[in-house]
Each structure stands twice: as structure tokens, then as C-alpha cells.
Amino acid sequence: MAQKVNINADMGEGHGAYDIGNDAALLKIVRSANVACGFHGGDASVMHGVVTAAKAEGVSIGAHPSFNDLWGFGRRQIDMDATELEHMVAYQIGALMAMASYAGLTVTHVKAHGALNNMACVRPDYAMAIGRAIKTVDPGLINLVLPNTELEKAGEELGLVMAREAFVDRLYEDDATLTSRKIQGAVIKDPAFAAERVVNMVRNQVIYSRHGKEIPAKIDSLCVHGDEPTALAVAEAARKGLEDAGIEIVPLPEMIH
Amino acid sequence: MAQKVNINADMGEGHGAYDIGNDAALLKIVRSANVACGFHGGDASVMHGVVTAAKAEGVSIGAHPSFNDLWGFGRRQIDMDATELEHMVAYQIGALMAMASYAGLTVTHVKAHGALNNMACVRPDYAMAIGRAIKTVDPGLINLVLPNTELEKAGEELGLVMAREAFVDRLYEDDATLTSRKIQGAVIKDPAFAAERVVNMVRNQVIYSRHGKEIPAKIDSLCVHGDEPTALAVAEAARKGLEDAGIEIVPLPEMIH
Amino acid sequence: MAQKVNINADMGEGHGAYDIGNDAALLKIVRSANVACGFHGGDASVMHGVVTAAKAEGVSIGAHPSFNDLWGFGRRQIDMDATELEHMVAYQIGALMAMASYAGLTVTHVKAHGALNNMACVRPDYAMAIGRAIKTVDPGLINLVLPNTELEKAGEELGLVMAREAFVDRLYEDDATLTSRKIQGAVIKDPAFAAERVVNMVRNQVIYSRHGKEIPAKIDSLCVHGDEPTALAVAEAARKGLEDAGIEIVPLPEMIH
Amino acid sequence: MAQKVNINADMGEGHGAYDIGNDAALLKIVRSANVACGFHGGDASVMHGVVTAAKAEGVSIGAHPSFNDLWGFGRRQIDMDATELEHMVAYQIGALMAMASYAGLTVTHVKAHGALNNMACVRPDYAMAIGRAIKTVDPGLINLVLPNTELEKAGEELGLVMAREAFVDRLYEDDATLTSRKIQGAVIKDPAFAAERVVNMVRNQVIYSRHGKEIPAKIDSLCVHGDEPTALAVAEAARKGLEDAGIEIVPLPEMIH
């Protein structure tokens, strides 16, 4: 039986008259879309557009909740009450569920956005807030997380359905955290290198640190980006490399048993 | 068998540090709450508070969607694309559904807020937009409307579950529209008068115009307000008058067969 | 002495992570920028960027106030209290004045944006609201308007410094109003045609209707757009045509005597 | 010659339909108002109301800029780019300057709000951002700060006009920082105690720590609050106590020489 993996990307991050990213191209690469829910990007009509396109491409959808930060694109860390955060996340998931009705789709996962994701990786209160929101709104939702984080720990503690992701275009440190973008080469821009590396990561279920260390890791999904031409080329090469290696690219729910 | 009627009011219209209205008092009077969904008032935590309190009081909940207009409290008429409006309404309904999960409640109706409601009473495109949003997100949702409006017509055309409301504290014209607030006495502030009048309205299923005309009207629900002391006194008197007259006050879904 | 005219365009309409328009190219064509003030587009840092670039190019700046409508890009007509609108316009002008300090520039004109401009052309209360805001904040500010509108009338009544604009890329009706975009050809996309036409408009101080009528008009400024490639080509051709015809392109204040 | 001191309070923090605080009562107590600028509270019309009332009472006004956080009332710490913060502060100052024109008032000071103030007390980049915004928009503006903070240090480094404030209703630690609200009694609610204490603070130019330590401090202004009945009673008692002690209460600019 063929090995399988999911590919996910953030989408629907435009807003009103504003366009951003390259959703059309990404929809040909990924099998799951993290849909912005209006708090850092996206609005009801943008969400409608993404779920409709995702349906047409057989791409599964997840909520991509964020801090209330349209002006900072959800990249500003905000210190707020964890219960208010929990409600804010639940609100966004519900909003996407309604928009998914337009495409006859079901929301199947949740992946926190930007600064919220970063903070929830290290702050247990934020991680639990996201987890509780998921559990309350729909305990069947897959919690898509970076492994070895508070976000993963909280999801496990709450008994959520979990999926772990790895990055196609980012280097890792020896402790499996992402190499800071400030380090030269932290973002992989060479499609061929990325493709070869990702095939090995999936095949061997390991992450390679930039110092050559092999770190065992369960990889259910690969995160790609579309915000610049090289990112898209890297994503396309990764997808092709995986397929050429006989690895099947599937929507996220198919990774869960 | 006792005659029945519902009483509804707008609630949860505070936002962040801002409080408004008198939800605690209204929850003792009404059987259905129209919950602000964050666009003209309300936020995820305010919504959480309202649905929790509604559950405790046995009050059914509905979405109270609005234009995106926190600064104008949803009272400014906005001319926008009807499809974008439809999506915006669907988004708000979904957001409330998620928050209702916290109380184990189901959202059972939708009533448009302020300027959106006013415009949808006379603009077929807006009326249909609201109706289509309801039909797409959950065709079982009750569309709570003013009778003899485009909003009612659109709901009927779409085959929605409909409920009609009358106002406890407002005078009517001979054509069953509300008397403008600019006319002296348009807002009823005398609790005794309001109570007697509302009992007759429900018993006879008529609206009384300010010129004495009796207009036949199906009255499933009575709308009350809590934004000033006299409004609350009028609402309390109306509720007591109805009960004293042997009319049972029930949640909105019980009015539908 | 050479004939003179100003060219203006809307700029700085991006927001946070969102970019829109083509400010860099427009800054080489225009002599005056209408700077978005954060209500339909723009934010403090985008405004900082525009005023800095305008200073470098010798381009004068004006406030481009709007309804509070980031999600509709200021293109949605909003019916609001005229006094609240007046304050909202004053607020935006002041905000730009502060940002202009960074470039050592003075704000020299005001031109209302999108739906606000459209409404103020026909609603005296909105026209007066804009005029009073200008008069209160700085009575020396030039009120840049479409001629034959309530906006012009209000400005004259208030004794404001006035400038009138004509459109380079739009057809006109016989009554000097713009031809609806719904009419085929309403937006001029042929650079050569636009250039020849605009030179005649400025030279003869007339507007040509699409039926061939010549309407006398004082033209202080020409409005161009950069939101699509043809708009930019038309703007460039217009500028070159004017220069080739010996007409000097100057900042807006130089048009006022 | 009589000793003098200023009293300041935050005002104009309502928004649209939302009211908060007790501006009318505070205006009878303070001589300087910190006016919310629309980012955590306030809007153009609320600002108009405050500056008009301040003018009538002979109260000087200052900008009270905040993070962009209406939903968190500016109490959420936000980690953002310091240059973007600087522009955001400048924007808010300019907006208030425009609104002040309506009352014929000049903005004479700046005091950062809530979480922004707290962060700028300890983060040099934020403190410098606020200072540079002041210096750019109007170097004559008084920077009203807590002494012994990065905010004070930055203002001094930039050569700004400085004023230092002390709190009427808060206890202090031995290092002159405010006692955490989590500590029992951190907020002073006894008017008589507050009045006696504040007279001694001003007379002796010292802050008393809750352990009895006397910390020399230049006190130009006393900060009072109006958000709850006890706060207002404390503020009133403080003002009366100071006057009874022969200390003159003056607008902030009169404290600067």
C-alpha cells in the first residue's frame, strides 16, 4: 500500500478589495486549505470563494483562526485573557462552518495562524484555549499542530484528534524548532533540494536539522507557502517529488484512522 | 388549551469593556433572545455570556446579524452588494452557532438588526440575501420578521420557517408600519396602557393603528426593549398582563407547528 | 506664459500586509496625491510611506477621507448623521497632517473618496459636512471637487479655496456628470485618444460629452488612476500629451491665485 | 507664592453608542484631560464632545494614544514593530489636534494609554517610538510620564518637555513602581486617607511606598480615575484636600517653566 501524506497551505487571506497570496496555484498543490476567518485576513465573501474552489479541487478545509489583527496580519503577538481567546477561536471556527455550507463542505481541521500559533506553541494557556474551543465546537475536528509543542500537548491532554505538520521550505534546529528567519538560508528556496529533502522526511518520518541531525517525527502533513514565487516553485517541486516517489497526496482526514 | 405567544428582545450588544442594555432584567421577561453577533455589538465573550444566561433561564436564542458597523451600532443604512451581505449574514449565524455550543444550545431563529432589518423590509435583494443565508446555513432556522414586508415575502418565497412579530412599545400606522419616532407618542411609555393593548393584540391577532384601525395580523412574537427604564417597565407590564390574561409565554420554536 | 494644470491620483490605499494600486508609477505622473487616511485604506505607516515619496517627487499632498469602511474600500454608500461625518472627516485630515510632519510637508488639499465623494456630490448635508470640517481644521486647505455638484456649491458657500477636477479616463454625459461604468466604453482605455482629448479639454477649458457636446468647465486638475495597466498607460499618455502641447504640470497649490 | 499641581484623568473613552466612565464629574475635578483618540476608545464625535466640554471648564487637553485595540480597551499588550507604533501614535495625536480645532483648543500634552503605557515604561524601543512621534508632530507637546521609567528616559534623551505624574488612588512599592492590583488594598478607596496622603506627596514631593518608605519624586500632575464610584469619591476628596491645603490646581502647561 502506498505511503500517504497531506499537504496544507494558508488561503483566503485577502480582504475586501485587497488580494494577497496565490490561492489558485496553491489549490493545485495542496490537499488541505487553512482558511482565514476574518480576524487577520479573509472576510465572508473571500471565505465563500475559497471553500467553493476547495470543493471543486477536492481539497479539505480547516479553520485558520487568528488574533483580532487585520492591520498586523495576525503577526503581532497579543497578550490577552485565555478565555477570551478561546471564545474568539470558537467564533471563527463557527463562522467558517457556516461559509462551508455554501460548498456543501465540512470543516475538518483547525490550524492556528501566525503569532497565535507561535504563542500557543510555548504558552500552555493559549494552547489549552485553542484546544477547548475545538473540543466545544466540534470534538471531531483535527487539531493540526507543530509536534513537540504546548499546542500538541494540550490537544493530547484534551483527547483531540491530532495531526502533525512539517515545513517544506524551512530549516530546523537540533531541537526540532524552526530555524529563525534571521539566519541565512533558513527559508529554502531551491526547489530540487526541497523536493529531495521532503521525500526523505516523509519516507523516514524524520526531520533533518540544519546541522544534519535526524529527528524522528510523525509527519501527517507538509506545510507549504505561496506568498512569493520561490515559495510556490518549492511547493510545486515538493509535490512532484513526492508523487514521483510513489507517495500519495491526500486530504488531511485521510491521514487519521 | 391556553393561547401562547413568544416575547423576544435584542441582547448581548455590549462589546469588550463596553456594556449596554439590561440583559439580566430582559432575560426574566422574554423567552427568546436575539443575540448580537459581533458586527454592530457583541463579541465572542459577550455572546458566550448571553447564551449561558439564556440556557439558565430557558430562553431560546437567535442570531441578530447586522451590517459591519460597530461605530454606528448597526443603525446606519449601508448600500452594499447583496451577495456580500448574504455571506456576512451567514458568517454571523455560524459564529453564534459555535458560541451556542458552550451552553449546549441550538440557534433556533434569525432576526436582522437595526438598519439591516429596516432596509430588508423594503429592499427585495436584501430580504432575499438574508433568506438565502438562513436557507444555506440551516433551513430549519426560524426567520423572525415584521409582517407585510419584503423580508416576509422573501422568506415565504424561499420556503423558510417563518414567525411574525409585533411591537409592544410602538404605535402603528393604518398600513401596519411603525409610526416614526419623530411623531409625539410613537414610543409607548405607559406600562398599563401597553399591557392592556398587547393582551388585546394577541387575543384578537390584530394590530391597532394609532388612528384606531384594527389590522388583522398573525402575532407569533412580541418585541420588547430594555434600553431605557420606561422600556423595561413597559416590557414587564406586558408580560404580566399576558400571564394574567391566561396567555402562555413560550420560546419561539414552540410557536411553530 | 505657459498654460498650467494639475494632475491628481488616489494613493496610499494599501493597509498593513495588503498592497494595492501602483503608487510608484503614479508618483512619476501626478503632481498631487490624494492620500488615504486609514478609513477605507491606508494606515499610519502607509501614509508615512506616501508622504515621504511625495516629498521626494515634489508632489503636493491632500487628505482623501472616507467612510469608515475598510471592508468595502469606501465604495459602499452609508447613510449617517452629517455631524458625525463632519467629525470623521476632520479626524482624518488631522491624522494626515501629523503624518505629513514626517516629510516636512503641509497638507494642501482635501478630496473625498469613493462613495463619500459620490454622495456629497448630490447630498447638501454631506457636502456641507465636508466643507465645515475643512474650514474648521484649516481654512487654507483647497477643496478639490467635481464641478456642478453640491460639493462645489457647499465649498463656495463656506468661502473655501476651491479647485475643480476633470477625469482623464472617463466619458461624460451632456449634463457634465460621469457616464455610468455600466455603459460600454465609459472608461477610456485608449492612451492616444485620451491624450488628444485631455489636451483639448485643458486648452479650451471644456468637457466633451460622449454625444459630442462641449461643456464649458474650469479645469484645475485632472484625475488619473493606477489600478489597472490600461489606466496607467492612459495616465502616462495624458501627461506626455499635455507636456508636448506646452502645458505645464504643477502641484495643485500653484493652480490657486 | 502658592504651590501648584495639576490633576489629570483619562476621558472620552466611549465609542459610538457606547458610554463609559464619568467625564462630566471628572471635568469638575481635573485640570487636564487625556483624550482617547479612537484606537482603544473614543471616536471623532466623542473627541469633539470632550474637547468642547474641556474648553468650557478651562481644562487643558492631551492625546491619549493606544494600541489598535477597541475590543480589549487598549489593555492587551501587543508586540509590534516600534516604527509602526511610532506612526500610529503620531496619527492619533494629529487626529486629536484636528478635533481640538472645534473648541479653539491646542493639544498640549501626550500620555500613552493602558498596555501601551505599561510596555513603554519598560521597553526602550516603545518609549522612544512615543517620544519620536511627539517630537515629529509637535516638539512643544508635554510628555506626561511615570517617573523612573524608560518613557521618562526616552523623553529626556529626545529633549522633550516632560511632566511626571503620581497616582492618587494607588499604592506604591519601595522602588516607586505601582503595587499590583492583585495585592489587597493596592487601590485606595478611602477618600480621607487619599486626601491626606496626596497633600503630603505634593507638599514634600515624595511618593510613599506601602512599606512606609519616602521616595523623592517630582510630581507635576496627579492621575485620578472615574470608572467606579469610589474612584470618583477619592478624586474629589484629593482635589478638596489639596485646595484646603492651599495648593493651587492648574492645567498641565502651567506646571512647565
Side-chain angles (χ1 to χ4, degrees), chain A residues 13 15-18 20 41 71 73, chain C residues 13-18 20 41 71 73:
Chain A
E13 295 185 318
H15 189 83
Y18 297 118
I20 205 167
W71 19 94
F73 204 60
Chain C
E13 294 186 317
H15 190 81
Y18 297 118
I20 205 167
W71 19 94
F73 205 59

Side-chain angles (χ1 to χ4, degrees), chain A residues 14-18 38-43 69-72, chain B residues 68 71 78 84 88, chain C residues 12-18 20 36-43 46 66-76 78 92 113, chain D residues 68 71:
Chain A
H15 189 83
Y18 297 118
F39 275 50
H40 77 279
D43 60 33
D69 178 28
L70 192 61
W71 19 94
Chain B
N68 196 342
W71 19 94
I78 300 181
E84 291 180 359
M88 193 183 277
Chain C
E13 294 186 317
H15 190 81
Y18 297 118
I20 205 167
C37 298
F39 275 49
H40 76 280
D43 61 33
V46 169
S66 164
F67 288 125
N68 195 343
D69 178 28
L70 191 61
W71 19 94
F73 205 59
R75 292 176 179 153
R76 294 177 182 160
I78 300 181
Q92 294 178 67
H113 170 76
Chain D
N68 195 344
W71 19 95

Side-chain angles (χ1 to χ4, degrees), chain B residues 63-75:
Chain B
H64 194 44
S66 165
F67 288 125
N68 196 342
D69 178 27
L70 192 61
W71 19 94
F73 204 59
R75 291 177 180 153

Side-chain angles (χ1 to χ4, degrees), chain A residues 87-158:
Chain A
H87 298 157
M88 192 183 276
V89 170
Y91 179 104
Q92 294 179 67
I93 297 172
L96 180 62
M97 285 175 163
M99 297 321 296
S101 308
Y102 278 91
L105 277 184
T106 301
V107 176
T108 49
H109 76 276
V110 174
K111 176 177 164 182
H113 170 76
L116 174 57
N117 199 326
N118 295 342
M119 292 181 85
C121 282
V122 297
R123 270 182 67 162
D125 60 338
Y126 276 25
M128 287 296 288
I130 295 170
R132 283 193 310 264
I134 292 172
K135 190 165 187 172
T136 304
V137 177
D138 177 358
L141 286 165
I142 302 165
N143 193 11
L144 179 54
V145 302
L146 269 179
N148 306 315
T149 59
E150 292 296 333
L151 209 38
E152 183 187 42
K153 204 184 299 175
E156 288 171 343
E157 190 177 323
L158 291 164

